[in-house]
Amino acid sequence: MELGKFFPDKVSLSLPFYYSFGQVISNPQFNPLDPDVPFETALQALETKQDRDELRRNAQDFTQRKTISFTNVRKNKTGGKSHIYDIENFNVSYSYSEIFRRNINMQFDVLRNYRGSLGYNFNASPKPFEPFKKSKIVGNSKWIKLVKDFNVTPLPASINIRNDLDRQYGEQLLRNNTTYRAILDTTFNKFFNWVRQYDMRWDLTKSLKLDFAANNQSRVDEPAGRLDTETKKDSVKTNLKNFGRNTNYGHNGNASYQVPLNKLPLVDWISLNARYGFDYSWAAAPLRFDSVLNKNTPSSALGNTIQNSNTKSLNATLTFTQLYNKLPFFKKLLAPPNKAPQQPQRNKSAEQPKNQNDTTKTKPPKPPGQIPGVVRFIGKAILAVKNVGGTFSETNGTMFPGYRRPSVILGQDYYQNSKGEQVTAPGFGFVFGSQKDIRFDAAQNLWLSTDTSFNAQYTRNFTQNIQARSTIEPITGLRIELNATRNYSRNLTENYRANTSGVYRGVGTMESGNFSVSYITWNTAFIKDRKNKTNEIFEQFDENRKIISQIIGIENPYSNWLLTDSGYVDGYGGAQQEVLTYAFLAAYTGRNPKKVEKTQFFKLPLPNWRITFDGLSKLAWSKKIWNSVNITHGYRSTYNINSFITNINYTDPQDYGFSSVRDASGNFIPQYEAQQVSITESFSPLIGIDMTWKKNGLFTRMEIKRDRNLSLTFTGIQLTEVRSNDLTIGAGYRIPKFTLPFKVGGKKVKLKNDLNVTADFSMRKNLTIIRKMIEKTNIPSAGMNTYNIKLSADYILNERFNIRFYYDQVINRPEIANSFPNSNTQVGFAVRFTLAQ
């Protein structure tokens, strides 16, 4: 119902109104108190009308619903410019609903819901203030473009504020259907929530953009039972005036800045974007009943929980082609070769007879300023790097339980301490994402729980991601894409609590995380096993342990540098984690163990690559054979520490970067303990060739893939190596206007559509070998040779109807004796009819 129709047009008031009312009454067939007796018979057995009416009322299943609502009541904008103070920016909503029920088991069950909201929405496209845009004093030189384009936007692009009040009140009283006298109390189900939401977006300049959003949830506490006294009603009014009791608060924001390097001619080929994001939350402690005050109060033993995080990111792109084009010679070098000017058409009839004695020969004109082909080829190779890009992001977070201060404004509390000083808790830095350690300030200012049994953990999180990429085109048709990644995450947990003397200390500090980085293990990718499944890489791994032991044993000032009979330095035996890790990396990268980097967390990632070449099909002789020829190669290798944890026994009293504590076997304890490290390597593909033939349109492809996964487990010094090799050969052919006869209504219909035929054959061999260092064994534990044959033929009757015939056979031949060969064949046809437009 749109009541706005009853107002004058110039008011333009939108007043959506809704009302509903309904009742459902169900009379029983049998007496609910005596189900063997029909209900009408039970009524007739009663002597008075009053008794009959009472039984009928009590036995009925009665439900009544009422709803009334005004939704988004507002004054509409009729024209003109929008202002931040316009009344049209406001809107109001209100709704009331009631459900009343009664039946044989319930005297009454009433549930009432009251919902009201007040909103403010301002959305505009404010024009920036650009004082120098049309200034003649500044001029139009490109060197002062940064000044000329200076701009500030005075107003935000959007502001949204919303207040929602939601109150539920319910009463329920059960019916006493027994002959015993029993006092049944009314039960209540009620809550009163107040949610306030704020959102703002402000493009302060064309390069600097800000946004902020906050959400506050509070509860208006009500006394128990009905609000049937003035004291109870005043209590609710007081809580409303105080904006309720905050239970949850959270906000988040972002600031992104496009660095205006494009305004500077020397660096306009560089794009740089910086972003800072933050979030903060405050969660109230659960209530407990205070017997002295005779009411529920927040638990001081548990305290509230505050949490924050920030994200810093940089995204840069260096477009070198734009840089090369700034120099005239490089620009000409990279441009397509100039074509020779065409000679004008000559009228053969008007030509004079050739003089046989004329020795002068006219040569066709050369293109002006043409760069020799050799110079062009060498120049393109030198300027092969087309672009370089990178992304750096870092996320830090802190969770602080046991915080006793309330949330007032922006999740903070403002108060005066015992010295009369104004204190802001937990501080503007923390609520805007700062990771400064505030534990000392919190303990000194009595912000924390003093309960000695408090055991909620203080946590800090750190995640760092680095990605780098580049595109290189040394010759026409050859494209090399380089990619490098590094991902590192670390989580710290600690029980930070007061002891019996009231002194706060960190107990049980633990750090864990994971790490991965792009790597290169190409040097050992093609080394084959001997007949007994041993290979020279694993043997080199074994030898490297002694070399690594001697290197880091001498570097550790806490070592006695004694060389044992087995060839290891005392404290760095063959099973020590760092010795195994560095020896493993040196062996499987094919590097000298003396030169391998002595760290488990590499700072710089190594590039992986993907190479594509389609220049073959652009050659004159090749165009006669193929429409297109594409050759691809891809390589990816990653070094991973799946999980590591701080070794609680690690000690470095002199801060040398080495452990001074040994384990039970006499080896030095590493700072971080890991269960295993791994290397994942993939040639995807090692070589791939796709060809489309010129004469018959035949499509053929061939692809070879190789994968290797190496997992070194420190327990028992066991290396699990999983290798696989794939070969795929395929072909496809399209037969145009293939005639296929059909019978429709007894008549033969010949369809002439394209028939697509494809055939693929693939062979995959995978093998898993467990190599044990101590036992000197190399045992195959799993392996399979898989052959797959796929044939298919697709015939498109029309744009909606498709018929497909297929043949798919998979043959598995195990490499080890504990598995059985098997084969699976599928043959059939599929009909697809598309109903969608």
Side-chain angles (χ1 to χ4, degrees):
M1 179 178 179
E2 188 70 34
L3 295 183
K5 298 176 181 177
F6 300 101
F7 292 90
D9 292 338
K10 63 180 181 180
V11 175
S12 187
L13 181 67
S14 176
L15 189 66
F17 171 73
Y18 175 80
Y19 174 77
S20 69
F21 177 85
Q23 288 184 345
V24 178
I25 303 174
S26 176
N27 293 312
Q29 184 177 357
F30 295 91
N31 185 3
L33 302 177
D34 190 359
D36 295 332
V37 179
F39 185 63
E40 292 299 328
T41 303
L43 289 175
Q44 294 173 6
L46 298 176
E47 297 180 355
T48 65
K49 182 179 182 301
Q50 182 179 356
D51 291 339
R52 288 193 294 272
D53 291 343
E54 182 180 358
L55 177 61
R56 182 179 289 108
R57 177 181 175 84
N58 294 346
Q60 284 178 342
D61 196 338
F62 176 85
T63 301
Q64 177 178 283
R65 299 175 184 271
K66 293 189 292 185
T67 302
I68 182 172
S69 68
F70 294 88
T71 305
N72 198 21
V73 178
R74 67 192 186 281
K75 183 180 182 299
N76 296 319
K77 190 77 174 176
T78 56
K81 185 179 179 180
S82 296
H83 302 90
I84 200 169
Y85 50 79
D86 287 343
I87 191 66
E88 288 87 353
N89 297 333
F90 293 89
N91 62 82
V92 179
S93 297
Y94 173 79
S95 69
Y96 168 79
S97 64
E98 178 185 299
I99 301 176
F100 176 85
R101 291 179 295 179
R102 71 168 189 269
N103 53 42
I104 191 63
N105 296 314
M106 199 181 308
Q107 289 192 45
F108 62 83
D109 182 8
V110 182
L111 186 65
R112 300 186 182 97
N113 282 288
Y114 308 83
R115 292 187 177 92
S117 69
L118 173 63
Y120 173 88
N121 305 101
F122 171 74
N123 293 282
S125 300
K127 293 183 179 181
F129 172 63
E130 299 174 291
F132 307 117
K133 185 176 182 179
K134 297 181 180 180
S135 174
K136 296 181 180 180
I137 299 175
V138 175
N140 296 317
S141 173
K142 62 181 180 180
W143 296 98
I144 57 173
K145 189 176 180 182
L146 182 63
V147 176
K148 191 175 182 64
D149 290 347
F150 173 80
N151 63 92
V152 176
T153 305
L155 291 177
S158 69
I159 300 176
N160 299 294
I161 302 173
R162 184 178 177 87
N163 273 270
D164 291 308
L165 288 167
D166 184 4
R167 181 175 185 264
Q168 176 179 292
Y169 178 82
E171 291 185 38
Q172 185 184 84
L173 179 62
L174 298 178
R175 193 185 301 280
N176 183 12
N177 291 322
T178 67
T179 57
Y180 300 97
R181 283 192 174 184
I183 299 176
L184 301 178
D185 291 333
T186 303
T187 58
F188 297 89
N189 174 22
K190 60 179 184 176
F191 61 78
F192 196 166
N193 294 331
W194 191 347
V195 178
R196 300 183 287 276
Q197 296 175 326
Y198 314 90
D199 179 88
M200 182 191 70
R201 183 174 59 85
W202 193 345
D203 297 344
L204 193 60
T205 69
K206 292 180 180 180
S207 299
L208 179 59
K209 302 179 186 298
L210 309 173
D211 65 79
F212 179 81
N215 183 294
N216 190 92
Q217 299 178 22
S218 62
R219 178 168 291 230
V220 180
D221 294 317
E222 296 186 11
R226 299 185 182 93
L227 301 180
D228 49 8
T229 65
E230 288 300 322
T231 303
K232 291 183 176 181
K233 293 178 182 178
D234 290 342
S235 173
V236 176
K237 292 177 182 178
T238 301
N239 289 335
L240 273 172
K241 291 178 181 178
N242 294 329
F243 297 96
R245 174 178 57 85
N246 286 344
T247 56
N248 282 281
Y249 171 82
H251 67 230
N252 62 80
N254 294 280
S256 62
Y257 182 56
Q258 182 71 41
V259 182
L261 298 176
N262 61 327
K263 312 291 184 183
L264 304 173
L266 291 177
V267 291
D268 59 357
W269 52 280
I270 302 176
S271 172
L272 180 62
N273 181 272
R275 176 184 170 272
Y276 178 81
F278 63 90
D279 64 67
Y280 168 78
S281 66
W282 177 95
L287 298 179
R288 66 176 182 85
F289 182 75
D290 191 324
S291 57
V292 177
L293 300 176
N294 194 31
K295 66 177 183 178
N296 291 324
T297 59
S299 173
S300 60
L302 294 177
N304 310 309
T305 300
I306 56 176
Q307 185 172 351
N308 80 342
S309 70
N310 67 50
T311 299
K312 294 167 284 189
S313 64
L314 286 173
N315 194 331
T317 301
L318 285 70
T319 308
F320 283 95
T321 52
Q322 189 175 346
L323 174 63
Y324 302 150
N325 288 332
K326 290 180 177 296
L327 301 176
F329 176 75
F330 286 170
K331 183 177 181 180
K332 191 174 183 180
L333 184 69
L334 297 174
N338 295 329
K339 294 182 179 180
Q342 294 183 356
Q343 298 184 19
Q345 296 286 341
R346 293 181 299 176
N347 188 354
K348 294 184 178 180
S349 62
E351 288 182 359
Q352 298 294 329
K354 292 183 179 181
N355 187 355
Q356 300 296 330
N357 297 324
D358 186 4
T359 58
T360 304
K361 296 182 179 179
T362 304
K363 297 182 180 180
K366 293 182 178 180
Q370 182 70 280
I371 297 177
V374 175
V375 176
R376 184 180 295 276
F377 179 83
I378 297 174
K380 283 190 173 183
I382 295 174
L383 307 178
V385 179
K386 302 304 179 185
N387 60 69
V388 174
T391 301
F392 170 87
S393 66
E394 184 177 290
T395 301
N396 296 272
T398 301
M399 186 175 74
F400 209 150
Y403 175 77
R404 298 195 299 173
R405 303 306 306 181
S407 168
V408 181
I409 299 176
L410 282 176
Q412 302 197 89
D413 184 29
Y414 307 87
Y415 69 99
Q416 283 189 344
N417 60 17
S418 58
K419 299 178 181 180
E421 300 170 336
Q422 189 68 31
V423 180
T424 303
F428 282 97
F430 191 87
V431 300
F432 286 106
S434 170
Q435 295 304 302
K436 178 185 176 182
D437 195 343
I438 64 169
R439 285 179 292 178
F440 178 77
D441 293 337
Q444 188 178 36
N445 291 306
L446 305 179
W447 297 346
L448 303 180
S449 170
T450 56
D451 195 323
T452 56
S453 63
F454 179 76
N455 62 356
Q457 289 188 324
Y458 166 85
T459 65
R460 299 195 72 166
N461 304 316
F462 169 81
T463 301
Q464 187 182 82
N465 297 318
I466 299 174
Q467 294 184 348
R469 58 194 179 276
S470 178
T471 302
I472 302 174
E473 297 180 9
I475 60 175
T476 303
L478 178 61
R479 184 183 180 90
I480 303 172
E481 297 173 334
L482 301 179
N483 290 279
T485 60
R486 182 182 185 271
N487 302 311
Y488 178 54
S489 67
R490 185 177 66 245
N491 305 312
L492 181 143
T493 60
E494 180 180 270
N495 288 320
Y496 189 74
R497 63 189 180 202
N499 57 21
T500 54
S501 303
V503 178
Y504 288 86
R505 297 185 183 276
V507 181
T509 304
M510 188 68 66
E511 196 173 43
S512 61
N514 54 71
F515 176 78
S516 69
V517 65
S518 56
Y519 212 50
I520 295 178
T521 50
W522 174 286
N523 292 343
T524 62
F526 301 97
I527 295 178
K528 297 181 179 180
D529 290 340
R530 305 185 184 99
K531 290 184 179 181
N532 59 355
K533 300 304 179 184
T534 62
N535 64 37
E536 59 185 81
I537 316 174
F538 189 69
E539 293 171 353
Q540 185 64 51
F541 173 27
D542 189 12
E543 295 176 6
N544 287 349
R545 292 191 298 162
K546 297 178 182 179
I547 302 173
I548 295 295
S549 171
Q550 295 171 15
I551 293 173
I552 60 178
I554 294 174
E555 292 177 351
N556 188 350
Y558 303 115
S559 174
N560 55 22
W561 307 326
L562 295 177
L563 189 64
T564 63
D565 295 338
S566 57
Y568 296 96
V569 171
D570 183 37
Y572 289 97
Q576 206 269 349
Q577 179 178 303
E578 293 164 304
V579 171
L580 286 170
T581 301
Y582 304 151
F584 167 69
L585 294 176
Y588 284 90
T589 57
R591 299 174 62 188
N592 188 330
K594 296 181 180 179
K595 297 180 180 180
V596 71
E597 190 174 356
K598 306 301 186 298
T599 179
Q600 298 183 68
F601 306 100
F602 303 108
K603 293 183 179 180
L604 294 178
L606 298 180
N608 297 158
W609 58 82
R610 182 171 182 82
I611 302 173
T612 58
F613 180 62
D614 61 358
L616 191 63
S617 58
K618 297 178 182 180
L619 300 177
W621 64 267
S622 175
K623 292 181 180 180
K624 300 177 182 179
I625 305 174
W626 299 292
N627 284 331
S628 65
V629 179
N630 295 312
I631 302 174
T632 58
H633 163 73
Y635 177 79
R636 181 174 180 80
S637 180
T638 309
Y639 164 65
N640 305 281
I641 302 178
N642 299 327
S643 177
F644 65 84
I645 191 169
T646 302
N647 201 319
I648 58 176
N649 295 319
Y650 174 83
T651 304
D652 182 10
Q654 300 298 326
D655 199 21
Y656 289 136
F658 290 90
S659 175
S660 63
V661 180
R662 303 184 184 222
D663 58 20
S665 62
N667 286 325
F668 285 105
I669 294 173
Q671 182 177 1
Y672 297 105
E673 185 176 352
Q675 295 298 318
Q676 69 173 21
V677 296
S678 63
I679 293 175
T680 303
E681 183 183 58
S682 174
F683 293 88
S684 183
L686 177 62
I687 183 71
I689 304 175
D690 296 338
M691 298 179 292
T692 303
W693 298 79
K694 186 77 174 181
K695 293 184 178 180
N696 49 19
L698 177 67
F699 170 77
T700 58
R701 69 186 183 97
M702 186 273 292
E703 192 173 65
I704 299 174
K705 294 182 179 180
R706 291 174 65 95
D707 298 287
R708 181 172 60 159
N709 194 315
L710 304 163
S711 299
L712 173 62
T713 304
F714 297 116
T715 304
I717 316 180
Q718 176 177 293
L719 177 66
T720 302
E721 182 174 352
V722 181
R723 296 198 306 261
S724 65
N725 296 296
D726 284 87
L727 170 64
T728 301
I729 300 174
Y733 186 69
R734 171 176 290 185
I735 305 175
K737 296 182 179 181
F738 183 79
T739 303
L740 192 66
F742 274 93
K743 282 189 176 182
V744 180
K747 296 181 179 180
K748 288 186 178 181
V749 178
K750 291 186 178 181
L751 299 176
K752 295 183 178 181
N753 295 316
D754 293 349
L755 177 67
N756 297 316
V757 181
T758 60
D760 288 291
F761 171 77
S762 64
M763 179 174 61
R764 177 180 177 85
K765 180 178 181 180
N766 61 72
L767 180 66
T768 302
I769 301 175
I770 298 177
R771 307 185 189 277
K772 297 185 177 182
M773 187 75 72
I774 299 175
E775 293 83 354
K776 304 295 182 182
T777 58
N778 298 268
I779 303 173
S781 62
M784 188 72 69
N785 295 326
T786 302
Y787 306 91
N788 193 357
I789 302 172
K790 289 185 177 181
L791 302 173
S792 68
D794 289 89
Y795 189 78
I796 301 174
L797 296 177
N798 54 47
E799 60 182 8
R800 295 178 178 272
F801 203 77
N802 177 276
I803 299 176
R804 179 174 180 267
F805 170 81
Y806 62 90
Y807 173 87
D808 190 353
Q809 183 178 17
V810 180
I811 303 171
N812 295 310
R813 295 290 181 264
E815 279 281 328
I816 57 177
N818 60 358
S819 300
F820 298 93
N822 62 77
S823 176
N824 185 16
T825 304
Q826 295 183 1
V827 181
F829 67 92
V831 178
R832 184 174 64 184
F833 182 70
T834 304
L835 296 175
Q837 293 291 337

